[in-house]
């Protein structure tokens, strides 16, 4: 039996390697795409702009900029090194997702199906309905995105940060070691430095849980020590705010409900539903269990906050139509899909009602997965992320 398990995992490792190679092909062609072409641009993405802003303009708005600059020099002014770095990041995210799957499912050990589920979670995308939104990605919201390199990097570090938080949360009441505090603080610093979106959805919910602990008589000093691990990343956020929203930039932040969701969608509210159809169904089934498990409640509350930020907040100025407050919500969707997928696979199938429930949820998940695989394959074949 163990031999079969190892053989099955070996096959899935091969699938992940194939996915990583496909990402390398995709990211390299994205990095050299000519965005000045009129009409549909082959391999259109944000990557050429990100590289150009660093190499040509010297605009360092993210920690990834320093990595890209180094890789560009090491690979003799070729974008291959950057593409390889992003492909390895995408592959590593699958393994980080498996750790998240094992955490949510409390699996004793990683198996072939935990790895396969993790791989599938890196493809799920919104259920595409043409009459709701004509663009497969742009009209909806998704946790899997292959056109924005800073999101790809942030997502990997953000998953590791969440895992670190859940490792430390049960023990912080007894006291954290300096090594544990520094490790958690460093992950938050790196994640925020890559993209501030995660901190904006994570820190308020962590603060809320710490407040509940304070009401429950957890020593204030323990709470302050744990919460203070976020302070260094707050300094990084201030630096990014100066770069992105300084007086010379002409950019700012405003409140315009539904603006970002409505930019490229015929029916914005239905597009939101299609984006998390599977998650909504799972949460309705398990709604009574949400309040019993803080590790289930945390990503749900984080998703609600991410949705509200994306719903209401917009940038003013040159980036007004970029929808940059959607990135935090996108990551929340990725975590929420992981949580709900684990809930689905662990659903009992003893009665016919339970079997019907598992099959129904499986069909919804399969729809999300099909749309993601179809989208990714078309990306690899040369289409841009604005595809219909």
């Amino acid at each position: 039996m163990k031999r079969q398990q190892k053989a099955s995992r070996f096959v899935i490792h091969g699938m992940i390697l194939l996915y990583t190679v496909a990402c390398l092909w995709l990211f390299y062609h994205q990095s050299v795409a000519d965005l000045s072409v009129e009409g549909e641009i082959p391999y259109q993405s944000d990557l050429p702009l990100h590289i150009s802003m660093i190499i040509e303009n010297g605009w360092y708005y993210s920690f990834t900029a320093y990595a890209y600059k180094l890789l560009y020099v090491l690979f003799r002014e070729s974008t291959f090194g950057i593409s390889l770095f992003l492909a390895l990041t995408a592959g590593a995210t699958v393994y980080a997702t498996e750790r998240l799957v094992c955490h949510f499912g409390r699996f004793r050990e990683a198996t072939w199906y935990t790895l396969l589920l993790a791989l599938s979670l890196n493809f799920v995308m919104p259920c595409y309905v043409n009459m709701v939104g004509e663009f497969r990605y742009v009209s909806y919201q998704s946790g899997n995105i292959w056109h924005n390199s800073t999101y790809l990097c942030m997502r990997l570090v953000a998953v590791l940060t969440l895992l670190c938080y859940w490792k430390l949360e049960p023990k912080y009441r007894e006291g954290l070691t300096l090594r544990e505090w520094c490790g958690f603080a460093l992950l938050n610093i790196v994640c925020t430095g890559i993209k501030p979106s995660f901190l904006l959805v994570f820190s308020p919910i962590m603060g809320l849980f710490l407040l509940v602990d304070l009401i429950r008589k957890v020593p204030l000093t323990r709470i302050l020590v744990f919460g203070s691990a976020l302070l260094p990343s707050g300094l990084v956020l201030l630096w990014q705010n100066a770069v992105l929203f300084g007086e010379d930039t002409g950019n700012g932040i405003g409140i315009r409900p539904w603006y970002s969701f409505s930019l490229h969608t015929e029916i914005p509210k239905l597009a939101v539903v299609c984006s998390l159809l599977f998650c909504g169904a799972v949460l309705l089934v398990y709604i009574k269990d949400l309040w019993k498990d803080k590790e289930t409640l945390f990503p749900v509350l984080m998703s609600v906050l991410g949705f509200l930020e994306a719903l209401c907040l917009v940038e003013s100025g040159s980036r007004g139509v970029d929808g940059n407050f959607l990135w935090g919500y996108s990551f929340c969707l990725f975590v929420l899909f992981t949580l709900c997928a684990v809930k689905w696979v662990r659903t009992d199938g003893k009665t016919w009602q339970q079997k019907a429930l598992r099959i129904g949820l499986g069909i919804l998940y399969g729809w999300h997965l099909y749309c993601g695989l179809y989208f990714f394959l078309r990306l690899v074949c040369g289409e841009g992320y604005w595809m219909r």
Side-chain angles (χ1 to χ4, degrees):
M1 193 68 169
K2 289 185 177 180
R3 188 174 297 177
Q4 291 179 343
Q5 288 272 3
K6 289 181 178 179
S8 299
R9 276 188 71 89
F10 182 79
V11 171
I12 301 170
H13 285 312
M15 295 168 63
I16 297 171
L17 177 61
L18 181 62
Y19 168 62
T20 305
V21 172
C23 284
L24 176 60
W25 169 276
L26 172 63
F27 297 145
Y28 178 73
H29 283 84
Q30 286 181 345
S31 70
V32 297
D34 184 1
L35 300 185
S36 65
V37 175
E38 295 184 3
E40 294 188 6
I41 302 173
Y43 292 104
Q44 182 183 6
S45 76
D46 295 344
L47 186 54
L49 293 174
H50 288 173
I51 296 174
S52 175
M53 285 188 292
I54 299 158
I55 305 303
E56 298 177 12
N57 303 325
W59 194 51
Y60 294 86
Y61 63 98
S62 164
F63 285 176
T64 56
Y66 299 95
Y68 292 178
K69 179 67 174 181
L70 177 62
L71 290 167
Y72 188 76
V73 173
L74 290 177
F75 282 80
R76 299 181 179 181
E77 299 187 352
S78 166
T79 59
F80 181 81
I82 298 172
S83 307
L84 179 61
F85 169 72
L86 292 174
L88 292 174
T89 297
T93 302
V94 178
Y95 292 101
T97 307
E98 185 187 27
R99 290 183 57 189
L100 203 58
V101 166
C102 292
H103 175 81
F104 282 140
R106 294 181 172 86
F107 296 110
R108 293 181 179 179
E109 61 179 10
T111 61
W112 66 268
Y113 57 84
T114 60
L115 189 58
L116 183 61
L117 183 60
L119 178 59
S120 71
L121 284 163
N122 281 263
F123 285 105
V124 291
M125 285 190 67
C127 295
Y128 176 68
V129 180
N130 183 265
M131 64 172 287
V132 173
E134 63 174 320
F135 301 104
R136 290 184 170 271
Y137 159 70
V138 179
S139 297
Y140 304 85
Q141 302 86 46
S142 175
N144 286 310
I145 296 162
W146 292 275
H147 75 276
N148 187 280
S149 63
T150 51
Y151 174 81
L152 282 166
C153 296
M154 181 207 74
R155 182 177 60 173
L156 172 59
V157 183
V159 169
L160 297 178
T161 304
L162 274 180
L163 289 168
C164 183
Y165 167 75
W166 280 317
K167 180 182 178 181
L168 298 180
E169 198 279 336
K171 60 186 297 188
Y172 90 89
R173 296 163 187 82
E174 305 300 324
L176 299 177
T177 66
L178 180 61
R179 182 177 180 180
E180 290 170 336
W181 187 94
C182 290
F184 184 51
L186 182 60
L187 281 171
N188 277 283
I189 290 170
V190 174
C191 191
T192 305
I194 294 171
K195 212 175 186 70
S197 308
F198 171 72
L199 186 69
L200 296 178
V201 295
F202 170 73
S203 58
I205 305 303
M206 178 179 169
L208 177 63
F209 274 69
L210 290 177
L211 178 61
V212 172
D213 284 347
L214 180 63
I215 295 172
R216 292 176 175 175
K217 307 301 183 182
V218 174
L220 178 61
T221 53
R222 302 297 191 195
I223 292 175
L224 291 177
V225 168
F226 195 25
S228 66
L230 299 183
L231 292 179
S233 54
L235 297 176
V236 176
L237 190 62
L238 291 176
W239 162 68
Q240 289 180 322
N241 181 71
V243 174
L244 297 172
F245 301 105
E247 293 182 3
D248 298 334
T249 64
N251 298 315
I253 300 174
I255 298 177
R256 294 184 66 181
W258 289 105
Y259 177 76
S260 295
F261 287 128
S262 305
L263 285 173
H264 311 290
T265 307
E266 283 75 16
I267 313 175
K269 294 179 177 64
L270 281 183
V272 171
V273 173
C274 290
S275 298
L276 44 69
L277 194 59
F278 168 75
C279 296
V282 172
L283 292 177
L284 282 175
V285 172
Y286 291 99
I287 192 167
K288 292 182 180 179
D289 299 330
L290 289 181
W291 307 102
K292 299 178 182 178
D293 185 357
K294 64 173 65 177
E295 292 184 0
T296 299
L297 185 59
F298 193 102
V300 172
L301 292 178
M302 200 168 69
S303 299
V304 171
L305 177 61
F307 171 75
L308 292 175
E309 289 178 359
L311 177 71
C312 298
L313 298 180
V314 296
E315 290 180 281
S316 59
S318 60
R319 297 194 301 272
V321 296
D322 291 351
N324 284 322
F325 282 100
L326 288 167
W327 299 119
Y329 181 50
S330 292
F331 174 74
C332 292
L333 285 177
F334 182 79
V335 178
L336 192 63
F337 263 96
T338 305
L339 170 67
C340 292
V342 171
K343 290 284 188 183
W344 163 54
V345 298
R346 301 212 67 166
T347 301
D348 289 330
K350 297 178 182 178
T351 66
W352 71 266
Q353 294 97 331
Q354 292 171 334
K355 291 179 181 178
L357 177 63
R358 289 189 68 174
I359 292 172
L361 292 176
I363 291 172
L364 290 180
Y365 187 81
W367 188 6
H368 283 283
L369 182 58
Y370 164 76
C371 291
L373 286 169
Y374 182 75
F375 181 82
F376 179 75
L377 288 173
R378 287 179 62 180
L379 283 180
V380 173
C381 291
E383 294 192 54
Y385 67 97
W386 281 85
M387 73 176 72
R388 292 175 171 84

